[in-house]
Amino acid sequence: MKHIAIISDTHGILREPVMAELDAANCIIHAGDIDTPTIADSVRMLGETYMVRGNNDLDWAKELPASISVTIEGVRFFIVHNRKDVPGHLSEVDVVIYGHSHKYFSEVIDGVLYLNPGSCGKRRFNIGLTMVRMIVDRGQYQYEKVIIPQD
C-alpha cells in the first residue's frame, strides 16, 4: 500500500500545508509547472517522485519528460502536464493525472480516472488551492481532494 501526494502547478511555491502532505506520503506525483529546480529538488528529497515538465518549466527542466507512464502498487498511471497532450487512445491505463488549468477535476471516462489536482502554488483566477491524497493498493485506488488553507 502506498500513500501518494499528487500536486501540480506549484510555480515556485511550496506552502507549509503542502509540504506536510508531501512529507506524510510514500510517493509524490508532480504534474508540471514546477518553475524552479529548487522546488524539484525539495520534492525529490522526500522520496519516490514522478515529475513531468510543464509549459513554464524552462531550460533547467529540459531533462524532465513531457509525459510518463508508471505503475504503482498495480495502478497504472499516465502523467502529463496539459490534458490536450493525452493521447486519443490510451490502453492499459487506470488513472490519467494532469495539471495546467489550476482547477481541480475528477471524472471517470471510459473506465479511466482523469484527475487534475488543481494548483497548490500561485493563486489564479480566484480558484482555490488544491491537491490530492491517494491510496493505492493491489490495483485499487481511493483518493480525496485536499483544500489548501488560504493565506
Side-chain angles (χ1 to χ4, degrees):
M1 179 188 316
K2 284 207 176 163
H3 296 262
I4 304 174
I6 304 172
I7 59 175
S8 187
D9 298 280
T10 50
H11 290 284
I13 298 170
L14 280 177
R15 290 175 164 71
E16 192 173 311
V18 173
M19 281 300 294
E21 291 285 340
L22 299 180
D23 195 40
N26 305 106
C27 178
I28 300 165
I29 294 175
H30 196 310
D33 275 0
I34 304 155
D35 266 13
T36 69
T38 304
I39 297 296
D41 292 343
S42 295
V43 171
R44 283 187 190 113
M45 286 176 37
L46 296 171
E48 182 180 351
T49 303
Y50 302 95
M51 288 184 194
V52 295
R53 183 178 61 250
N55 59 296
N56 286 298
D57 297 323
L58 304 177
D59 290 341
W60 70 268
K62 64 184 175 209
E63 300 300 318
L64 285 177
S67 66
I68 53 176
S69 295
V70 62
T71 300
I72 305 169
E73 295 290 321
V75 177
R76 301 163 303 181
F77 292 89
F78 179 80
I79 307 161
V80 67
H81 180 61
N82 193 330
R83 184 172 174 172
K84 75 175 183 68
D85 295 323
V86 174
H89 176 68
L90 284 174
S91 61
E92 300 187 20
V93 171
D94 301 306
V95 181
V96 171
I97 295 177
Y98 65 96
H100 187 62
S101 71
H102 291 227
K103 187 174 182 180
Y104 178 86
F105 179 85
S106 164
E107 185 176 338
V108 176
I109 302 169
D110 295 328
V112 176
L113 172 63
Y114 283 76
L115 182 61
N116 183 334
S119 171
C120 60
K122 292 181 182 175
R123 279 188 182 69
R124 188 171 150 191
F125 310 125
N126 286 330
I127 299 172
L129 300 177
T130 60
M131 62 180 289
V132 169
R133 262 186 227 124
M134 180 178 275
I135 296 173
V136 292
D137 189 22
R138 295 176 286 195
Q140 302 294 313
Y141 62 82
Q142 296 177 332
Y143 65 97
E144 66 179 304
K145 177 181 180 179
V146 177
I147 296 172
I148 308 303
Q150 302 291 323
D151 294 339

